Amino acid sequence: MIGEKKSLFSGMQATGNLTLGNYLGALRNWVTLNEEYECFYCVVDEHSITIRQDPAVLRKRARALLTLYIAAGLDPEKNCIYYQSHVSAHAELAWILNCFTYMGELNRMTQFKDKAAKHADNINAGLFTYPVLMAADILLFQADVVPVGIDQMQHLEITRDIAQRFNGIYGDVFTIPEVYLGKVGAKIMSLQDPTKKMSKSDENANASIYLMDDPDTVMRKCKRAVTDSEAQILYRDEQPGVKNLLDIYCACTGKTADEAVKEFDGKGYGELKMAVGESVVAVLKPLQDEVARLEKDKAYIDNIIKTNAERANYVATKTLRKVQKKVGFPERIR
Ligand code: TYM
């Protein structure tokens, strides 16, 4: 909690092309919550370098992501939208929290295991301590709530454990954050293998709908989506491909699974796929138009980057100073 309102923190990596999963699982919920909380939305560029990046591409993607946050409906006057690397307190707090996190806890992180398997030639220490930096992000802003998709749940749990451990030693320093999962869309699956989550890093471009895909591409990917041979449209775990399409449809239209199942009663998979594609295009098109409009306004975006980083720095430094004092670092002489 900061000031009068409860606070909210979330972030995304500017790595790869953002997918419909990122939008439906996270960004869309950020927009619905932004009136209720004091919000901090971060482009987590420091997390991105745990995997090798082309510097020019990372810079470009980071800016595109920040623009996307605004295009999605987050008002930068009311919300703090900024780059992680512009606020040095993230890295400083992460160091301190590293000293309150156990190797055994980090060893259990499934995302580390997955990424280490995928990037066997670069299993760096940053990849291993990634969840500690994420804990620092959240705890710096005393976040009450963190809206994310299901895949980030384990990282939220370790954040809570670290915060509780620290508070147990030094008193109430950190707010213990709660996770916020949307009712639909918290885990959008791959269109080509509906037992896997839709991911930016999937090598098969047909597996993911990217936020910047044009309408024809979206329709084509939906038409090619893997289903099954049951020939019935029901919302159940035994039909993961159909269930995922219904999830996407419901998330994009606001309908419930029951309503969608009734609507497609007696219809074929072809019709379902068309309807899903159209519902996705209806969501993505306005978003893409707004991104294109904002990208032209360089001065406006530059000003947001500057002023919002100042605000984020102010809030983050307050928490950092408190933590530094608690652990016994000498006071600054003014
Ligand atoms: P990232 O960049 O992988 O994903 C950003 C957000 O999108 C959600 N998401 C999904 N939701 C539903 N279905 C999917 N298929 C899907 N794929 C991704 C993620 O759950 C996430 O909410 N470690 C984080 C970034 C981060 C962060 C933080 C988040 C760093 N610090 C502090 C919250 C708070 C990550 O890599 O997300």
Side-chain angles (χ1 to χ4, degrees):
M1 184 129 171
I2 295 168
E4 305 280 287
K5 272 187 179 175
K6 286 194 167 187
S7 73
L8 178 156
F9 183 94
S10 202
M12 282 196 198
Q13 291 201 61
T15 354
N17 288 320
L18 286 219
T19 72
L20 187 64
N22 296 126
Y23 182 74
L24 298 179
L27 190 50
R28 198 178 56 128
N29 297 328
W30 299 2
V31 179
T32 34
L33 293 169
N34 91 103
E35 294 283 330
E36 216 179 310
Y37 294 89
E38 165 102 40
C39 299
F40 298 86
Y41 297 113
C42 186
V43 172
V44 295
D45 47 2
E46 290 176 335
H47 279 90
S48 295
I49 63 162
T50 51
I51 289 164
R52 287 282 175 273
Q53 303 293 332
D54 174 328
V57 174
L58 178 60
R59 227 183 319 274
K60 207 168 139 207
R61 287 204 166 131
R63 188 170 174 111
L65 183 55
L66 188 130
T67 309
L68 180 77
Y69 286 3
I70 303 165
L74 298 172
D75 180 349
E77 305 279 327
K78 294 195 196 135
N79 303 281
C80 192
I81 296 172
Y82 71 101
Y83 295 128
Q84 188 180 29
S85 60
H86 286 192
V87 178
S88 58
H90 284 270
E92 290 183 74
L93 182 61
W95 171 254
I96 297 174
L97 297 182
N98 263 323
C99 304
F100 292 85
T101 308
Y102 298 114
M103 302 283 282
E105 288 177 295
L106 293 173
N107 258 326
R108 284 198 292 274
M109 297 291 117
T110 55
Q111 201 158 79
F112 169 69
K113 289 183 202 161
D114 292 348
K115 286 195 181 171
K118 230 171 167 175
H119 303 274
D121 56 336
N122 182 21
I123 307 176
N124 59 69
L127 197 61
F128 189 62
T129 59
Y130 178 114
V132 185
L133 179 58
M134 184 158 160
D137 301 341
I138 296 167
L139 301 178
L140 269 181
F141 293 90
Q142 305 290 0
D144 294 276
V145 66
V146 183
V148 284
I150 285 176
D151 63 329
Q152 295 300 319
M153 289 282 281
Q154 204 185 22
H155 290 161
L156 256 294
E157 278 156 24
I158 194 173
T159 300
R160 289 167 57 90
D161 290 344
I162 297 169
Q164 267 153 355
R165 183 171 307 138
F166 195 94
N167 285 356
I169 304 170
Y170 299 106
D172 275 347
V173 177
F174 295 125
T175 303
I176 308 298
E178 299 286 339
V179 66
Y180 176 95
L181 291 177
K183 285 196 185 67
V184 275
K187 192 165 188 190
I188 300 294
M189 310 307 278
S190 152
L191 296 182
Q192 291 298 312
D193 176 359
T195 61
K196 266 185 9 192
K197 77 162 182 173
M198 184 181 283
S199 159
K200 294 182 264 212
S201 56
D202 203 311
E203 272 154 26
N204 182 351
N206 285 324
S208 310
I209 295 175
Y210 300 120
L211 295 185
M212 293 302 140
D213 277 348
D214 60 45
D216 286 349
T217 308
V218 172
M219 295 306 290
R220 182 169 43 77
K221 288 180 177 177
C222 288
K223 273 185 211 153
R224 288 191 187 165
V226 167
T227 47
D228 52 54
S229 53
E230 304 237 350
Q232 53 178 350
I233 298 173
L234 295 175
Y235 187 80
R236 55 190 198 128
D237 292 338
E238 293 77 10
Q239 291 179 263
V242 171
K243 187 175 182 220
N244 188 38
L245 288 173
L246 287 169
D247 269 334
I248 295 174
Y249 184 70
C250 291
C252 290
T253 57
K255 291 179 185 169
T256 64
D258 281 350
E259 286 167 350
V261 167
K262 266 192 208 122
E263 188 180 330
F264 293 108
D265 184 30
K267 295 190 175 156
Y269 289 171
E271 270 172 284
L272 170 66
K273 289 176 180 180
M274 284 289 285
V276 172
E278 281 161 12
S279 74
V280 173
V281 170
V283 167
L284 295 191
K285 187 70 179 53
L287 190 65
Q288 294 167 354
D289 292 347
E290 187 58 7
V291 167
R293 191 186 71 78
L294 286 168
E295 271 173 350
K296 286 191 202 121
D297 201 344
K298 185 170 180 306
Y300 172 71
I301 300 288
D302 283 350
N303 186 47
I304 287 164
I305 291 171
K306 182 168 175 284
T307 53
N308 281 0
E310 281 162 9
R311 164 104 182 108
N313 259 308
Y314 174 78
V315 176
T317 305
K318 237 169 138 174
T319 305
L320 180 67
R321 294 287 176 260
K322 200 166 163 186
V323 172
Q324 288 172 326
K325 190 168 172 196
K326 290 283 183 186
V327 298
F329 293 168
E331 260 180 63
R332 279 155 205 264
I333 316 283
R334 282 172 214 284

